[in-house]
Amino acid sequence: MRFIFAGTTEFGIPTLEKLIADGHELLFVITQPDKPFGRKQELNAAPIKKWAQANNVRVLQPDKISELHDDIALPKPDVLLVAAYGQIIPKEILDLPRHGSINIHGSVLPKYRGASPIQAAILHGDTKTGITLLQMDEKMDHGPILATKDLDIAPEETFQQLYRRLSELSAEICSQILPQFLTGQIQGEPQEHSAATFTKLLRKEDARIDWTGSAVNILNQVRALNPEPGTWTTLDGKVVKILEVKILPGIKIELPGKLFQTPEGLAAKASDASLILQSVQPAGGNVMTGAQWANGIRNLSVKHFI
């Protein structure tokens, strides 16, 4: 198989390494242009670009992928493989390879179409998710399904842990299914579009903690939304990032967001239980345990998150 890959994050790296090890030919990688990052706004290359450069793979970074019509068409690839690319790809580009374009999606479609399927599974407290390999059409995560593979979600598994396991699972499914598809052994099956659910691009405000919510919902939010956009709250008008928590049942404190000390460390009250603050980062400060942070809080007994 001669293929082109379009992606931006590290999600596709295990798949690329597996396909190359299987003897398939990666023609080049397409990724997003370098973007300013940090206080100094220095240009930062996408993880997939760094991998490609380290492995002597050609990299193209168009503002719009439609600019690469000839680059994609001329080598006559068998397939364009896409994973977490971050751009809408027009039909005239999708149809250029001999066998079209294939997307690796981090859910079992038609559930959780869109930009944040892995986070959505954790946010909703799901116990299972998976990978879908699908033929791409002009609509988002809409095309015929070639294969799916389920994966159990551990009770306290974080986004980063689940992301890593799904990326490894995608390598397995691509190695097995793509050769069968290209030789006509597998045909795409239409999705049940009436059952589709959708996710969105997550922003900072989506990660603000509502302490009037349940402890389980807050725990899932912390599991799902770190490191990006990063769950947060405020104390005395200053932002505090909440990086890791554990549910503490049975504490009779009524005010949501109330901070208090326990033998297990600093805790905050939710609507129905409390949460031990295992890891936090105050504004302008370093990551620390809640217990360490509490040492610097004056009048702790009257403090609460907002």
Side-chain angles (χ1 to χ4, degrees):
M1 179 177 72
R2 301 171 71 249
F3 72 105
I4 297 167
F5 179 80
T8 299
T9 73
E10 62 270 25
F11 190 83
I13 291 175
T15 296
L16 292 178
E17 293 179 341
K18 175 61 176 170
L19 292 177
I20 291 170
D22 288 347
H24 303 297
E25 182 184 358
L26 174 59
L27 299 175
F28 57 85
V29 161
I30 303 168
T31 192
Q32 302 279 15
D34 296 353
K35 295 182 179 179
F37 179 78
R39 292 181 180 178
K40 296 183 179 180
Q41 292 292 282
E42 296 177 346
L43 289 179
N44 186 48
I48 202 71
K49 177 182 178 179
K50 295 176 182 177
W51 175 88
Q53 290 176 327
N55 288 275
N56 297 312
V57 175
R58 182 187 177 202
V59 181
L60 299 179
Q61 297 177 271
D63 289 326
K64 293 184 178 180
I65 197 171
S66 56
E67 300 168 13
L68 299 184
H69 183 283
D70 291 347
D71 296 271
I72 295 170
L74 288 175
K76 298 180 180 179
D78 293 306
V79 71
L80 170 64
L81 185 62
V82 181
Y85 176 49
Q87 277 191 33
I88 299 296
I89 303 177
K91 190 174 188 302
E92 59 266 25
I93 297 294
L94 296 174
D95 292 344
L96 287 175
R98 292 176 56 219
H99 296 276
S101 298
I102 305 297
N103 184 39
I104 306 166
H105 187 74
S107 76
V108 178
L109 291 171
K111 190 175 186 179
Y112 301 146
R113 293 177 180 176
S116 53
I118 302 174
Q119 296 95 326
I122 297 174
L123 283 170
H124 287 90
D126 294 355
T127 58
K128 286 185 178 292
T129 185
I131 288 290
T132 300
L133 205 61
L134 69 150
Q135 295 173 275
M136 297 179 72
D137 60 21
E138 62 273 19
K139 296 182 180 180
M140 181 179 63
D141 303 326
H142 178 274
I145 292 175
L146 297 177
T148 62
K149 186 75 171 179
D150 290 346
L151 187 71
D152 291 333
I153 303 174
E156 296 185 2
E157 191 164 18
T158 65
F159 166 77
Q160 288 180 301
Q161 293 166 339
L162 183 57
Y163 182 96
R164 188 180 310 112
R165 292 205 298 134
L166 285 169
S167 71
E168 292 167 354
L169 182 62
S170 71
E172 295 177 20
I173 195 170
C174 285
S175 175
Q176 175 187 356
I177 298 301
L178 285 177
Q180 296 180 39
F181 168 68
L182 296 182
T183 55
Q185 299 174 61
I186 291 177
Q187 302 292 323
E189 295 288 338
Q191 295 187 41
E192 186 179 347
H193 300 302
S194 62
T197 58
F198 296 87
T199 67
K200 65 178 183 177
L201 187 65
L202 295 164
R203 305 193 182 279
K204 181 179 178 181
E205 197 56 36
D206 297 311
R208 183 168 190 164
I209 294 173
D210 177 5
W211 296 98
T212 66
S214 72
V216 168
N217 285 347
I218 294 172
L219 171 64
N220 290 344
Q221 188 179 16
V222 173
R223 291 168 56 212
L225 302 185
N226 284 299
E228 293 294 338
T231 42
W232 61 282
T233 186
T234 61
L235 182 71
D236 296 333
K238 295 182 179 180
V239 169
V240 181
K241 293 182 180 180
I242 308 297
L243 306 178
E244 187 178 358
V245 296
K246 181 177 71 172
I247 292 178
L248 178 68
I251 299 294
K252 294 182 178 180
I253 293 177
E254 299 304 323
L255 181 64
K258 179 72 172 65
L259 291 172
F260 61 97
Q261 291 281 20
T262 78
E264 295 188 56
L266 184 64
K269 182 68 170 61
S271 66
D272 58 346
S274 298
L275 294 143
I276 299 294
L277 305 178
Q278 295 177 298
S279 180
V280 303
Q281 185 177 17
N286 297 320
V287 175
M288 61 186 76
T289 66
Q292 291 169 332
W293 180 55
N295 291 331
I297 302 175
R298 294 183 178 181
N299 301 318
L300 176 65
S301 63
V302 297
K303 298 293 185 180
H304 67 277
F305 288 136
I306 297 176

